[in-house]
Amino acid sequence: MSTDFSIPSSIARVLLDQAAIEARVKQLADQISRDYADVDQLILVGVLKGSFIFLADLCRHLSIDHRVDFIALSSYGQTTTVTGEVRLLMDVKANLEDRHVLIVEDIIDSGYTLSYLMRSFLTRSPASLRTCVLLSKPDRRQVDVQIDYLGFEIPDVWVVGYGLDFADRFRTLPFIGELDPQVYTNE
Ligand code: IMP
Ligand code: MG
């Protein structure tokens, strides 16, 4: 069954359609399955809320033993402005010591969120720690963070859909679209 989605008027253009996302997520999962084939057990840590759809699709394509856990972080503020301050709202349940950990994130922008998370997880002595990020805006980077698995590089625009939001809206659009700047300049 396919659902017809009309494109909301707040979307300036579609950057990545459903088929492009599906194909890339499958490729990433295949690569992860190969790379971790000899590993005892992989723990995927999804960063809430933005990664929940990406993670759900990614993990269902994995052919290796894995567990799923979540962490919730928040950069201060509701809008598109990044302040560089990161708050831990909810920690993982799993003990990460001696575990192979893969952080799954929706998007890397300044890099502050992932860099904070990497530093925090490294103090827990995981057996290995890598990152899997669906989208990257390279022009916006303030801190250098290693991305081991990357879906797509995108230009410096605010994107929504496939888990990504603006003020908690637009997360369940099946594609990734550029938000019309009027939506955030008017708020
Ligand atoms: P950072 O600047 O790399 O720390 O990214 C902070 C967070 O901002 C990301 O995890 C996303 O949740 C969010 N973010 C950054 N750019 C976008 C975007 O274009 N759309 C939706 N969320 C974004
Ligand atoms: Mg996020």
Side-chain angles (χ1 to χ4, degrees):
M1 189 180 78
S2 79
T3 317
D4 273 339
F5 274 90
S6 56
I7 300 178
S9 59
S10 338
I11 303 299
R13 67 186 166 122
V14 174
L15 281 183
L16 298 161
D17 65 18
Q18 217 171 337
I21 299 168
E22 262 176 42
R24 188 69 187 126
V25 171
K26 173 84 169 62
Q27 282 177 347
L28 290 174
D30 289 347
Q31 199 188 334
I32 292 166
S33 297
R34 282 196 300 274
D35 292 353
Y36 288 89
D38 299 325
V39 154
D40 213 12
Q41 191 190 73
L42 174 65
I43 303 184
L44 303 172
V45 177
V47 184
L48 291 173
K49 302 176 195 173
S51 74
F52 82 114
I53 291 178
F54 174 40
L55 176 58
D57 285 347
L58 184 77
C59 66
R60 287 178 295 169
H61 285 303
L62 293 176
S63 57
I64 49 164
D65 188 25
H66 66 276
R67 289 189 188 178
V68 173
D69 211 320
F70 289 99
I71 196 157
L73 298 173
S74 170
S75 28
Y76 285 97
Q78 290 290 308
T79 62
T80 55
T81 318
V82 176
T83 60
E85 290 174 89
V86 180
R87 245 184 331 157
L88 177 66
L89 301 179
M90 185 191 85
D91 205 349
V92 284
K93 284 211 173 137
N95 181 352
L96 303 182
E97 193 176 343
D98 294 330
R99 293 307 180 84
H100 294 276
V101 177
L102 180 61
I103 299 172
V104 179
E105 173 65 308
D106 54 354
I107 185 165
I108 178 164
D109 184 72
S110 67
Y112 287 123
T113 305
L114 259 190
S115 129
Y116 166 87
L117 204 49
M118 293 285 287
R119 273 183 283 122
S120 158
F121 279 10
L122 281 172
T123 65
R124 306 179 192 192
S125 311
S128 72
L129 180 61
R130 286 184 182 168
T131 55
C132 175
V133 183
L134 183 64
L135 305 172
S136 170
K137 293 181 193 170
D139 297 346
R140 300 259 312 164
R141 204 75 83 252
Q142 301 284 324
V143 282
D144 201 29
V145 189
Q146 185 180 321
I147 309 174
D148 299 289
Y149 305 94
L150 174 64
F152 305 92
E153 286 197 343
I154 59 162
D156 178 15
V157 294
W158 195 263
V159 289
V160 294
Y162 198 69
L164 292 119
D165 72 310
F166 171 70
D168 253 342
R169 294 162 64 207
F170 310 110
R171 281 195 204 279
T172 55
L173 291 174
F175 55 83
I176 291 168
E178 174 183 346
L179 190 64
D180 185 336
Q182 281 195 345
V183 177
Y184 47 88
T185 46
N186 288 345
E187 289 207 356

